[in-house]
Each structure stands twice: as C-alpha cells, then as structure tokens.
Amino acid sequence: MKRQIRTLLLAGLAIGGLTFATGAPAAAEDETIDAFIAWSGKGRTYEIGVDRTMFVGALVGPVYVETTEGLVPSGSASCPVMVDIETSTALQTSSGHCLIETVDGDRIYADLSCSGVFRIGCDGTITLTGGTGQFEGVTGSGNIIVRSERQSFVEEGDGVRHAEGAGIIIIEGLTYTMP
C-alpha cells in the first residue's frame, strides 16, 4: 500500500506536478506511468517540394496523468513540432520537443518523434531529457500516440498556409528515473 501511494504521488509529479508534497525517494528507482496532453495547435505549412509539405508550429495544452483514482490534471505542455508530409501518399514523419511545466514551476524537457498518416496522426516515442527543480536529471522514455481531432487551413499564398488544429497525445508506458 505504501509503494502504491508513493507511485501515485511520483506519477503525478513526473508529468506535471501535483500540488502536494512528497519526500524524495531514497535511491533512484524506475517508475512507469500513462498520461495524455489535450493539445491545440497553430502554425504554418510550407510547400517544400513536389508532393511534399512541412508543418512548423506548436502544440500546447494541459497534461493529465492516469492514476488509480482516474485522470489527474498535472500541469501544462508546450511542444514545438515539425511534420514532414508526403502529400501524394499522406504519409508523415514528425519530430519535436516538449516543455512540461508543473503548477509549482518545475520543468521537464522531452523529445518526441513519430510517423503515421496526415490528418489522422502518428505513433512513436517520447524521451525525457532533463528537468529543473525536483526533476533535475530525470530520464526516461515511453510510447506516444498523436491524434488529430480537427484541422483547418487558410491559404496565405506562395505555397504557405496558416494551420490550426486540436487533438491528443497519449503517453503510454513512460518509464522514468528520478536521480
């Protein structure tokens, strides 16, 4: 029971920070959590070749961590991303970075990469690369599923379009280590 409580507390803290205090673990130990980000995004698409377009923008939104008590709001994320799209096949590859900020102002940094189908989403990985405050030195990785609920485009000219959308990033099996 004591381990379940500590895991619950660390899970909430690892992705966004809950507002209650916990003691630091005595030694580095792996924990695994599931979470998601409900994002809205803005950016631009650029024609970069024959049958090829690139989206450059940011996905931002709240972070929720799955616990035994249900989903817990745990902070916010800002993720600048680039999506390379083969327009003839609708295949895409994406990469980006996320800054996840807790309600206490601590930060977690992560890299994202995935591949999939344009206007649907992609599957890939998230890798934690460090943090600040209580998350200094955090490392870990897990799987991500990025899905788009809606997308809209407004032609700006010269192969450039303003793009907006919304969706979710599901984080599954994020195994992390706090030093």
Side-chain angles (χ1 to χ4, degrees), residues 75-137:
S76 61
S78 176
C79 306
V81 297
M82 291 182 14
V83 182
D84 192 337
I85 306 153
E86 280 292 330
T87 56
S88 63
T89 63
L91 295 179
Q92 71 178 35
T93 57
S94 307
S95 63
H97 309 278
C98 282
L99 161 63
I100 302 166
E101 187 166 359
T102 71
V103 293
D104 296 330
D106 291 334
R107 295 177 172 194
I108 299 167
Y109 302 101
D111 293 337
L112 306 173
S113 65
C114 63
S115 60
V117 178
F118 180 59
R119 293 190 183 249
I120 295 174
C122 58
D123 299 346
T125 59
I126 182 170
T127 304
L128 303 182
T129 60
T132 66
Q134 65 186 353
F135 301 108
E136 186 173 342

Side-chain angles (χ1 to χ4, degrees), residues 141-153:
S141 64
N143 298 317
I144 59 168
I145 301 168
V146 181
R147 293 297 180 256
S148 299
E149 172 191 350
R150 63 175 173 78
Q151 296 176 352
S152 65
F153 301 92

